[in-house]
Amino acid sequence: MNSKRDRYLIIGAVIAVLLIAFVGCAAIRNDEPPGGEGTTENSSPPADPVTYTVASVEGKRVKSSNCVIARVRVTNNRSSSIEGKYTNFPSPFTLLNANGEKIRSIKEYLRLKESISPGQTGSGSITFCAAGITRGSKVTLYHDGKKWKATVPKPKPKPKPRPTVEAPRLPPKSGAGGGGGGNGGGGGAYPGYTEPRCYEPGGKVWHPC
């Protein structure tokens, strides 16, 4: 009889322990964040270090290279300021030629007009230069699901040389003789003389003054 009673007491104690353990586990689960441990379903993905908004695109000859220049608004998502010129920077851009082929071996330059603090937006430009960009060619720039078309200007034709116009030849000046040379009076002849003349009375014979 006593052994049967002892068995009931043991079974009751086990059930009580299991019940306490179950209640404790339920309380712990209620304290966990929704979605399970370590889950961040509502958090947004981290932003790119630098993002761009294209304002305009143009083709241009830069020194001896054919280039495409994009005027952009730059948003700085980094923890430090950015300024000046960069040749190594995040560049989510694609350039295609007139045949729809991707232009490769592009040299890119980012120039900022001013220093941009973290979380701020400023102005700048991105220059794309490549051997695959020829003068007079049409290029398409793709970024963020949008596209911009640009044409690199053709070289200006060289101006035609102006015809050389020769100055008219003037007849040689005749020697200026004294008006009264036939009179044998004091004027005489002075070939090539162009300086002031002094005339004798009567106004026919002259001589250098």
Side-chain angles (χ1 to χ4, degrees), residues 9 18 35 38 52 59-60 62 76 78 98 105 110 118 132 134 136 144 146 148 151 157 159 167 182 184 191 204 207:
L9 291 175
L18 294 175
Y52 312 96
K60 193 173 183 180
V62 180
N76 181 14
R78 300 172 57 183
S105 301
L110 169 63
T134 58
D144 197 20
K146 300 178 182 178
W148 294 264
T151 302
K204 293 183 178 181
H207 58 80

Side-chain angles (χ1 to χ4, degrees), residues 125-137:
S125 64
I126 302 177
T127 303
F128 307 89
C129 301
I133 303 175
T134 58
R135 304 189 74 173
S137 63

Side-chain angles (χ1 to χ4, degrees), residues 144-175:
D144 197 20
K146 300 178 182 178
K147 62 181 179 179
W148 294 264
K149 294 184 179 295
T151 302
V152 180
K154 294 182 179 180
K156 295 181 179 179
K158 295 182 179 180
K160 296 181 179 180
R162 295 182 179 181
T164 303
V165 179
E166 295 183 357
R169 296 182 179 181
L170 299 176
K173 295 182 179 180
S174 60

Side-chain angles (χ1 to χ4, degrees), residues 71-74 83-84 111-116 122-125:
R71 311 292 178 184
V72 295
R73 296 285 293 170
V74 183
E83 61 181 334
R111 290 180 176 86
L112 302 176
K113 290 185 176 180
E114 65 274 335
S115 176
I116 305 176
S123 300
S125 64

